[in-house]
Amino acid sequence: DADVTQTPRNRITKTGKRIMLECSQTKGHDRMYWYRQDPGLGLQLIYYSFDVKDINKGEISDGYSVSRQAQAKFSLSLESAIPNQTALYFCATSNEGQGLNEQFFGPGTRLTVL
Amino acid sequence: DAKTTQPTSMDCAEGRAANLPCNHSTISGNEYVYWYRQIHSQGPQYIIHGLKNNETNEMASLIITEDRKSSTLILPHATLRDTAVYYCIVRLAPSNFGNEKLTFGTGTRLTIIP
């Protein structure tokens, strides 16, 4: 089983709809992240969380919200989706605060907003 | 975090060494050089990182110039599965106080030619 899973893997929705993307991890990591990738570009950080009680905005948090329901779960919500939120979304985890140096990424969710 | 400059694309023959350059002329003394790669819209994968000494692991070698203003990622015997976008990232070392941000540029698209 994959260590970092994302659901759904693909989603098509309409403008104005509320969408939730889920991320779960079995690595036991404290830190979780949500990134967005637009075609041909690198990843941009949306939100990150160092533990269940900690939520921080990234570079492009406007239009998004997150919830860290448990150590293993971090969900991303689009309260009212708009077409320019069409992108590939990645969840990642890490234990970098404990001296490790890499982030582990999920397989991605491809979101299309019509 | 310091910015990086990478070539947009490179080709390499299968079985040969792939040498991917990165310029980071504004790197500061406490910033590390990290490399990640992304295979065809999958989640990025950590490759290697270093501060000033050359580093080697099972995937690659990292050569950092003495003035630390540039580096080269070396894949010693490239295979078709190494075809991917390679990101050079400069960042502070992870800690309990943050430094969590990975700033992905557009990277180098490496194509391994059979």
Side-chain angles (χ1 to χ4, degrees):
Chain A
D1 288 341
D3 295 321
V4 184
T5 57
Q6 293 183 231
T7 56
R9 295 294 312 280
N10 289 282
R11 181 71 183 268
I12 300 174
T13 190
K14 294 182 179 180
T15 297
K17 295 291 187 181
R18 183 178 187 274
I19 296 297
M20 180 178 288
L21 308 183
E22 308 270 9
C23 177
S24 295
Q25 53 114 346
T26 58
K27 300 187 77 66
H29 288 171
D30 289 330
R31 298 184 175 191
M32 298 188 73
Y33 309 81
W34 274 106
Y35 290 89
R36 163 184 174 154
Q37 185 173 34
D38 293 287
L41 300 180
L43 281 69
Q44 295 175 283
L45 182 63
I46 307 173
Y47 270 97
Y48 61 99
S49 168
F50 282 2
D51 64 40
V52 175
K53 299 178 181 179
D54 178 77
I55 301 290
N56 303 281
K57 292 183 177 180
E59 304 169 81
I60 55 164
S61 59
D62 289 348
Y64 301 94
S65 62
V66 291
S67 174
R68 185 81 184 268
Q69 304 95 320
Q71 187 202 39
K73 296 184 182 296
F74 193 35
S75 59
L76 176 71
S77 294
L78 289 68
E79 296 300 325
S80 180
I82 55 177
N84 75 1
Q85 291 177 312
T86 293
L88 190 55
Y89 290 84
F90 290 103
C91 173
T93 76
S94 78
N95 247 3
E96 290 169 303
Q98 285 71 47
L100 299 180
N101 288 287
E102 63 177 292
Q103 292 188 10
F104 296 84
F105 286 80
T109 294
R110 187 171 298 279
L111 176 66
T112 302
V113 183
L114 302 176
Chain B
D1 291 346
K3 291 185 177 179
T4 61
T5 304
Q6 299 177 251
T8 302
S9 63
M10 295 180 61
D11 292 339
C12 178
E14 187 179 15
R16 304 297 293 270
N19 297 277
L20 292 91
C22 180
N23 287 319
H24 32 79
S25 59
T26 60
I27 192 171
S28 62
N30 57 351
E31 287 182 315
Y32 286 69
V33 180
Y34 280 72
W35 284 84
Y36 279 73
R37 74 179 182 184
Q38 186 176 23
I39 298 173
H40 186 59
S41 296
Q42 296 178 20
Q45 176 190 24
Y46 165 85
I47 301 173
I48 200 168
H49 77 283
L51 181 62
K52 53 183 177 181
N53 297 323
N54 297 337
E55 302 288 344
T56 296
N57 63 19
E58 66 278 3
M59 290 183 66
S61 294
L62 175 61
I63 309 299
I64 302 174
T65 58
E66 191 169 347
D67 63 7
R68 303 209 323 123
K69 293 184 177 180
S70 66
S71 60
T72 301
L73 178 75
I74 301 172
L75 308 177
H77 304 286
T79 71
L80 297 179
R81 288 179 293 180
D82 292 323
T83 292
V85 177
Y86 287 77
Y87 296 99
C88 171
I89 299 166
V90 171
R91 65 175 292 197
L92 295 169
S95 74
N96 287 324
F97 304 103
N99 314 130
E100 71 301 320
K101 183 178 175 181
L102 290 175
T103 300
F104 289 82
T106 53
T108 296
R109 182 172 298 277
L110 175 67
T111 302
I112 307 301
I113 309 297

